[in-house]
Amino acid sequence: MSNGLEDLQQAFKQLRLSEVSLELPAFMREAEQKSWTYYELLNHLLKYELTKREEKNKARRLKWAKFPYQKTLEDYDLSEQTSLSERQMRQLKEMNWLEQQYNLILLGPP
């Protein structure tokens, strides 16, 4: 079986599905233990590959942006900012402003 598994891993690499190739043995074990159907196994494999690709793309874009440091809305200290209420911050965390294509700039001592 290991030769067959190695062949599968090599095929995934050739198809440029490298993340799945690395995790294939673990997925195969889990599929056997949980009696996944073929559909479930393929679904897990493809979702895993897509998730890993998105993570890599995000990391690459952040690196290219060359931000001096990275801050998130969760890191923002509302006690220093009197013009922004907690309710407004919760609304910002819902990310509706992204869908509406607004820019968001928070100035002042965060």
Side-chain angles (χ1 to χ4, degrees), residues 92-106:
L92 290 175
K93 288 179 183 179
E94 291 174 0
M95 302 294 184
N96 292 331
W97 54 275
L98 286 174
E99 294 170 2
Q100 298 167 355
Q101 298 180 350
Y102 289 119
N103 292 324
L104 179 64
I105 300 173
L106 301 174

Side-chain angles (χ1 to χ4, degrees), residues 4 18 21 32 36 40 42 45-47 52 54 67 72 75 77 80 84 90 95 98 103-104 107-108:
S18 58
S21 172
E32 288 175 4
W36 286 348
E40 289 172 320
L42 284 172
L45 292 173
L46 293 174
K47 280 185 178 180
K52 288 297 186 176
E54 184 58 35
F67 292 125
T72 64
D75 297 336
D77 185 10
E80 296 288 330
L84 189 63
R90 284 195 312 271
M95 302 294 184
L98 286 174
N103 292 324
L104 179 64
L107 297 174

Side-chain angles (χ1 to χ4, degrees), residues 35-79:
S35 299
W36 286 348
T37 64
Y38 297 126
Y39 172 81
E40 289 172 320
L41 176 60
L42 284 172
N43 192 29
H44 280 84
L45 292 173
L46 293 174
K47 280 185 178 180
Y48 181 78
E49 182 72 28
L50 291 171
T51 300
K52 288 297 186 176
R53 284 185 183 194
E54 184 58 35
E55 288 172 4
K56 283 183 177 180
N57 285 335
K58 181 180 175 184
R60 187 179 313 117
R61 282 187 239 116
L62 285 172
K63 185 178 178 183
W64 286 344
K66 296 183 181 179
F67 292 125
Y69 50 88
Q70 185 177 348
K71 287 271 195 181
T72 64
L73 288 175
E74 285 78 24
D75 297 336
Y76 200 81
D77 185 10
L78 284 176
S79 65

